[in-house]
Amino acid sequence: MTYIPYLSTIVTFAFVIAVYTRYRQRGGVHLLLWAVGLLFYGIGTLSEVSLSLTYNIFVLKIWYLTGAMLTAAWLGQGTVHLLIRKGSAARVTTWVLGVVSALALFLVLSAPSLSGNYEIARPASEQYKDFLTRGGLTVFLTILLNIYGTLTLVGGAIYSAFLFWRKRILANRMFGNVLIAAGALSPAVGGSMLKAGLGDMLYLSEFVGAILMYIGFVMATSGRSESPD
């Protein structure tokens, strides 16, 4: 499945352009932060493309930083800004996330690397632990950022879908949010398969996740307003 990251990268960067274009047209911090999160997603899959061709420790660190640590959190932060319009909570948590992200960047890039024989025929997700040194703080931040990102992105999408369903309005947004939630969960499923020894499935889950979130975004912003019946 080494060709899958190529497709994921194309879809994700097209998604970035679509979201950023909408931000330029309509404004909204949530759109800008979604574009940032998707950019991290795309950099992660692009790193997988590079690592399938040749080994580079810097690229492997960028892959881990963007894919494993930052993507979900910044996508989720966009949802925080969408749902929390009053007060300073969204703004404050964005600054906190920025500081944590900077710390993650420092920890990952400054960590010593391990030598070994990298196999380009195998997914990076199966080998990174043999080359990256991750301290306790790095592991803790990885878990923390992913929990935060999952709760805010998936939880926010499900909550929005529930509101539209309860009000019996904007069916396109309801179904769009359901797809966004499903797409956000897809890489997590791939991560579980990775632990079960199915490393290639992470590539497929990333591609499926990008597709579902893109379709969900298009549906949610299509402007139709049918009831969900």
Side-chain angles (χ1 to χ4, degrees):
M1 293 193 184
T2 53
Y3 66 92
I4 294 292
Y6 290 82
L7 300 177
S8 300
T9 301
I10 293 171
V11 171
T12 303
F13 278 107
F15 196 0
V16 171
I17 293 172
V19 174
Y20 184 72
T21 298
R22 188 170 179 85
Y23 164 72
R24 291 290 302 273
Q25 294 172 344
R26 303 174 65 93
V29 176
H30 64 288
L31 290 170
L32 178 60
L33 295 183
W34 281 341
V36 170
L38 289 168
L39 181 61
F40 287 142
Y41 198 122
I43 292 173
T45 59
L46 182 60
S47 298
E48 290 171 345
V49 171
S50 176
L51 291 167
S52 71
L53 300 174
T54 183
Y55 172 69
N56 182 290
I57 185 59
F58 176 75
V59 175
L60 186 64
K61 287 183 175 184
I62 292 298
W63 169 81
Y64 183 83
L65 179 70
T66 56
M69 300 187 78
L70 300 182
T71 293
W74 283 96
L75 286 172
Q77 193 60 33
T79 302
V80 169
H81 274 270
L82 175 65
L83 297 178
I84 303 177
R85 301 296 182 93
K86 298 180 180 179
S88 59
R91 184 172 64 255
V92 169
T93 52
T94 300
W95 278 105
V96 172
L97 179 58
V99 171
V100 173
S101 298
L103 176 59
L105 175 67
F106 171 77
L107 291 173
V108 173
L109 294 186
S110 64
S113 57
L114 304 174
S115 60
N117 295 318
Y118 185 88
E119 301 176 43
I120 60 174
R122 293 174 57 201
S125 54
E126 291 183 350
Q127 307 180 70
Y128 74 94
K129 292 182 181 179
D130 297 330
F131 298 90
L132 292 183
T133 301
R134 300 181 303 155
L137 182 56
T138 301
V139 174
F140 171 74
L141 290 181
T142 302
I143 296 172
L144 180 65
L145 287 167
N146 278 280
I147 290 176
Y148 178 75
T150 301
L151 289 177
T152 51
L153 178 58
V154 179
I158 292 174
Y159 175 71
S160 296
F162 171 74
L163 290 180
F164 293 125
W165 173 81
R166 187 180 65 179
K167 295 178 181 179
R168 318 298 290 177
I169 59 172
L170 298 175
N172 58 303
R173 294 191 180 184
M174 183 189 74
F175 291 119
N177 276 283
V178 170
L179 288 177
I180 290 171
L185 284 173
S186 182
V189 173
S192 298
M193 291 182 178
L194 172 63
K195 294 178 181 178
L198 302 173
D200 280 342
M201 296 306 295
L202 181 60
Y203 288 167
L204 181 59
S205 68
E206 290 171 344
F207 177 59
V208 171
I211 290 289
L212 290 177
M213 286 192 292
Y214 198 168
I215 294 174
F217 175 79
V218 171
M219 287 185 65
T221 58
S222 65
R224 295 194 303 270
S225 57
E226 311 91 345
S227 78
D229 290 281

